[in-house]
């Protein structure tokens, strides 16, 4: 069964730049994700933000001085080796230069040099001219060659009043990069297709039939699959921000979704139908807006093709996973659905939990029986679902 990601030890290095104030938010986000954060500040960083702020947020004294722990053996080496990742945010132009040359003249640079196999992430932040200077560009290229992950910078307003490349990646984005790096790459080499959102069946040019579904669960599944190394195609009837690195194809109706899925299904290894597909569409959608005339209105509907069942019953189907939202008899109805559609795995949930929230509760049903996944945010559930899929595929 799937195991939640264990809490990670992060060594967060803060160097001298105005973006240092954002490190406080980054610490807060990391701690919220149950990560153990040890902040290390350079002397210049302490000019921009006080160690006390980061100590209060991380719950640990902040390290600033190479000699603080001098009586404590080779503490800088063990600090770096114990960490699951070192993140330098913000990384100033000067600190990047020090990394490139292997300088070790303060605690943070020494930690970086002594890190052994601990992965190092660097989030540059500086004035646009400093960033574009060929010296910085040479240094950043060297970091990448040395296996150091450079995250950002992004373009936008700068504290100095200029506009351009050099802003530090926002703390939320840095957290996302870090979490992605921690996911086991168990779906490497797999093509995964996910459907998401609620399809919309036109009645006339301004009205339609749809279902309640935010699309958040499908997007979380797509993101989690991408994090685990898969090449992901998301066929979406929702309007949400595309998960990074995921190929999103937007559709409207169930027929659009079916056509899109079938056009790309041959190369998929895994198909996960999370979308709330309308069971019916209008036999003849009206070309003009229907006018109300005081009388009852009857709409003639025809049943849509079941996309998931169509895929699952192909001669060589990918590994198919369904979702079932039921309002009662959850296990009975969901298991019936799994068998009817010929699915090796189905994720069931009770609809009374509500739509559009960030949390859910799932029960996974497969040939072995049922596996409950306790209430958690949708991304956590998506990761657990994909770990379960990978284990069924023998990964
Ligand atoms: O039969 P029901 O709609 O409850 O089944 C839900 C599952 O089937 C979901 O995985 C959904 O994406 C999929 N489905 C589909 N095409 C339909 C109806 C449902 O792919 N027309």
């Amino acid at each position: 069964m799937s195991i939640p990601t264990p809490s990670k030890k992060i060594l967060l290095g803060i160097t001298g730049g105005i973006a240092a104030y954002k490190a406080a938010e980054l610490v807060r986000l990391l701690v919220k994700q149950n990560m153990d954060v040890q902040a290390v500040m350079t002397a210049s960083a302490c000019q921009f933000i006080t160690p006390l702020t980061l100590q209060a947020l991380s719950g640990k004294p902040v390290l600033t001085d190479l000699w603080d722990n001098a009586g404590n053996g080779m503490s800088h080496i063990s600090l770096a080796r114990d960490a699951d990742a070192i993140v330098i945010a913000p990384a100033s132009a000067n600190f990047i230069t020090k990394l490139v040359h292997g300088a070790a003249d303060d605690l943070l640079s020494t930690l970086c040099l002594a890190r052994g196999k601990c992965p190092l992430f660097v989030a540059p932040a500086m004035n646009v001219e400093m960033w574009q200077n060929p010296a910085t560009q040479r240094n950043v290229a060297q970091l990448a060659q040395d296996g150091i992950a450079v995250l950002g910078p992004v373009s936008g307003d700068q504290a100095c009043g200029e506009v351009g490349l050099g802003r530090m990646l926002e703390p939320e984005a840095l957290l996302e990069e870090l979490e992605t790096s921690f996911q086991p790459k168990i779906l490497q080499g797999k093509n995964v297709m996910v459907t998401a959102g609620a399809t919309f069946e036109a009645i006339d040019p301004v009205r339609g039939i749809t279902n309640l579904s935010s699309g958040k669960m499908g997007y979380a599944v797509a993101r989690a699959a991408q994090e685990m190394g898969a090449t992901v195609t998301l066929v979406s009837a929702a309007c949400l921000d595309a998960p990074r690195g995921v190929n999103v194809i937007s559709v409207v109706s169930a027929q659009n979704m079916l056509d899109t899925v079938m056009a790309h299904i041959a190369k998929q290894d895994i198909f996960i139908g999370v979308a709330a597909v309308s069971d019916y569409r209008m036999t003849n959608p009206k070309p003009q807006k229907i006018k109300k005339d005081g009388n009852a209105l009857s709409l003639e509907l025809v049943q849509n093709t079941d996309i998931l069942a169509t895929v699952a019953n192909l001669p060589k189907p990918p590994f198919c996973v369904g979702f079932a939202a039921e309002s009662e008899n959850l296990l009975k109805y969901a298991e019936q659905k799994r068998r009817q559609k010929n699915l090796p795995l189905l994720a069931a949930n009770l609809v009374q939990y509500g739509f559009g929230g960030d949390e859910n509760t799932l029960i996974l049903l497969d040939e072995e029986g049922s596996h409950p996944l306790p209430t958690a945010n949708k991304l956590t559930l998506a990761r657990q679902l994909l770990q379960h899929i990978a284990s069924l595929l023998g990964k």
Side-chain angles (χ1 to χ4, degrees), residues 127-157:
N127 163 271
V128 56
E129 294 297 343
M130 291 171 79
W131 172 253
Q132 283 169 351
N133 189 292
T136 306
Q137 290 303 308
R138 268 198 312 276
N139 285 339
V140 170
Q142 186 61 51
L143 289 187
Q145 266 191 30
D146 293 348
I148 296 170
V150 180
L151 310 176
V154 290
S155 195
D157 292 339

Side-chain angles (χ1 to χ4, degrees), residues 270-333:
I270 300 170
F271 177 75
I272 310 174
V274 194
V277 184
S278 293
D279 287 327
Y280 292 91
R281 67 175 182 277
M282 285 278 284
T283 309
N284 289 308
K286 304 293 175 211
Q288 302 302 335
K289 188 175 170 187
I290 300 171
K291 295 289 171 198
K292 54 182 176 285
D293 59 8
N295 294 319
L297 175 69
S298 298
L299 301 176
E300 191 184 285
L301 304 177
V302 59
Q303 198 170 327
N304 278 322
T305 306
D306 190 310
I307 303 167
L308 182 58
T310 305
V311 173
N313 289 289
L314 286 170
K316 280 189 178 174
F319 184 90
C320 285
V321 183
F323 269 70
E326 303 292 344
S327 57
E328 56 175 351
N329 294 330
L330 180 64
L331 283 182
K332 184 173 158 218
Y333 290 161

